[in-house]
């Protein structure tokens, strides 16, 4: 049995839905939910760029699915299915562990594997996933909807994955909580469906709070001011970083890989959104505001601070590539 055939046999245990057709066909079937609009996204992970070569295969599979579902969460979408693109490298043990992680994450988020494609490759593994979601008509707010006077809100905590990466690299000591934030991020799917109906613009925090907030502001034709004091940091991060300082907060705001939700919320919707967040047990906080004009500005302890030269991860920039 070839490596491809063996891998597909493993995937059959995950792709059990009717639409996957037992992975015996060249295409899957998908019937859109009645009265809903489809939301599509596709993200890739490249070994040495988006994950470390030594990261456990189970965690790589988790991250591949989670980062795509995070894009759906940023639109308030309900996941409906995923399609996998997989590079075979001849290591069947790695493949089997990847499939085990894939089965776990698909079960946690109740999202079916519908199919995909495999190719033989050399060198760094390249993995892709297309995620299909759905929203009610008029849902899925874009980055373009923020208006002057809207608050900038974020779910969860920021910066944990950045330190988790340093722990995974062996560059520092830290908690299992921080390492898990890097290797097994949690897509805010439930929070997206509950909170996005209150917002005018939204996206997930994949490349960093500063750069992603700046993208919303630019797309909306607004300026955005962020209060670094208000940035939600976890106790684990503060302990590992050795304290709560301006430098620590700048690092957290630019690290990326947080996969929290970043939202432009009109003032008259904030209280109801906070109540909804409390009802589902989601931490949420206001970290800034949009105004007329353009650009990004920062304050800390009431004083303006310079915007750092690097506001987050940018594709093609080598400073965050994970390859040694």
């Amino acid at each position: 049995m070839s490596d491809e055939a063996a891998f597909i046999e493993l995937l059959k245990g995950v792709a059990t839905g009717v639409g996957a057709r037992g992975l015996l066909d060249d295409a899957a079937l998908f019937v859109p939910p009645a009265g809903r609009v489809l939301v599509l996204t596709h993200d890739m992970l490249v070994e040495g760029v988006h994950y470390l070569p030594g990261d456990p295969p189970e965690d790589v599979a988790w991250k591949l699915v989670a980062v795509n579902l995070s894009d759906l969460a940023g639109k308030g979408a309900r996941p409906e299915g995923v399609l996998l693109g997989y590079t075979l490298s001849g290591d069947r043990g790695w493949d089997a562990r990847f499939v085990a992680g894939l089965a776990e994450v698909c079960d946690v988020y109740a999202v079916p594997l519908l199919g995909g494609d495999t190719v033989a490759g050399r060198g760094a593994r390249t993995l892709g996933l297309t995620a299909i979601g759905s929203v009610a008509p008029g849902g899925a707010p874009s980055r373009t909807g923020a208006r002057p006077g809207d608050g900038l809100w974020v779910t969860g905590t920021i910066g944990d994955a950045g330190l988790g990466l340093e722990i995974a690299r062996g560059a520092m000591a830290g908690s299992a909580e921080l390492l898990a934030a890097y290797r097994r991020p949690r897509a805010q799917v439930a929070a997206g469906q509950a909170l996005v109906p209150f917002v005018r613009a939204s996206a997930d925090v994949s490349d960093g709070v500063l750069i992603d907030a700046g993208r919303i502001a630019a797309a909306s034709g607004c300026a955005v001011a962020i209060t670094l004091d208000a940035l939600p940091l976890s106790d684990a991060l503060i302990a590992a970083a050795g304290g709560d300082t301006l430098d620590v907060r700048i690092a957290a705001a630019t690290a990326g890989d947080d996969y929290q939700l970043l939202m432009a919320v009109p003032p008259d919707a904030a209280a109801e959104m906070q109540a909804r967040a409390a009802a589902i047990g989601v931490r949420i906080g206001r970290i800034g505001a949009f105004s007329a004009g353009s650009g990004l500005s920062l304050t800390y302890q009431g004083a303006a601070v310079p915007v750092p030269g690097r506001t987050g991860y940018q594709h093609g920039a080598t400073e965050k590539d994970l390859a040694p």
Side-chain angles (χ1 to χ4, degrees):
M1 181 182 294
S2 69
D3 287 347
E4 180 182 35
F7 185 69
I8 292 173
E9 282 301 312
L10 292 174
L11 287 180
K12 286 180 180 178
V14 184
T16 57
V18 174
R21 292 181 159 183
L23 301 186
L24 298 173
D25 209 338
D26 288 335
L29 296 180
F30 177 71
V31 179
R36 292 177 72 83
V37 178
L38 295 186
V39 181
L40 307 176
T41 188
H42 181 89
D43 267 340
M44 302 175 71
L45 297 185
V46 178
E47 183 181 29
V49 177
H50 301 101
Y51 69 93
L52 296 169
D55 284 344
E58 299 90 339
D59 293 349
V60 176
W62 178 287
K63 191 165 191 175
L64 179 63
V65 175
V67 301
N68 277 275
L69 297 188
S70 182
D71 283 336
L72 296 184
K75 303 298 113 183
R78 181 179 72 201
E80 303 288 356
V82 296
L83 298 166
L84 172 69
Y86 190 84
T87 301
L88 297 162
S89 63
D91 186 340
R92 293 194 180 187
W94 204 97
D95 293 344
R97 293 177 61 189
F98 178 92
V99 172
L102 183 68
E104 181 183 3
V105 67
C106 286
D107 180 64
V108 166
Y109 288 102
V111 59
L113 174 67
L114 299 175
D117 192 26
T118 57
V119 295
R122 298 183 180 88
R125 290 182 176 88
T126 299
L127 311 170
L129 195 88
T130 297
I132 304 165
S134 71
V135 295
S142 73
R143 288 174 174 166
T144 64
R147 296 293 179 265
D150 288 351
L152 177 66
W153 292 72
V154 71
T155 61
T157 58
I158 297 300
D160 292 343
L163 288 191
L165 170 59
E166 296 308 306
I167 295 167
R169 280 174 160 162
M172 64 178 292
S175 68
E177 174 187 345
L178 296 176
L179 183 60
Y182 157 65
R183 285 183 169 166
R184 291 202 168 205
R186 292 279 175 171
Q188 301 300 307
V189 172
Q193 293 177 66
L195 304 181
V196 166
F198 298 98
V199 315
R200 278 205 267 246
S202 63
D204 70 332
V205 183
S206 54
D207 295 332
V209 165
L210 299 192
I211 196 169
D212 287 323
R215 288 166 175 162
I216 293 175
S220 299
C222 294
V224 63
I226 294 178
T227 305
L228 293 171
D229 312 61
L231 202 68
L233 303 183
S234 69
D235 292 340
L237 181 148
I238 293 170
D244 184 352
T245 66
L246 174 59
D247 287 344
V248 167
R249 288 182 171 271
I250 289 287
T254 58
D257 260 4
D258 295 305
Y259 303 105
Q260 297 294 336
L261 303 183
L262 198 61
M263 301 168 288
V265 183
D268 59 2
E272 190 175 357
M273 186 186 67
Q274 285 179 284
R276 182 69 61 88
I280 63 172
V282 172
R283 177 176 178 173
I284 188 169
R286 187 180 187 276
I287 62 170
F290 295 89
S291 62
S294 63
L296 167 69
S297 61
L298 306 176
T299 59
Y300 178 68
Q301 296 182 353
V305 298
V307 175
R310 178 186 178 278
T311 55
Y313 175 68
Q314 298 185 57
H315 299 283
T318 59
E319 72 272 9
K320 198 189 174 189
D321 286 356
L322 306 184

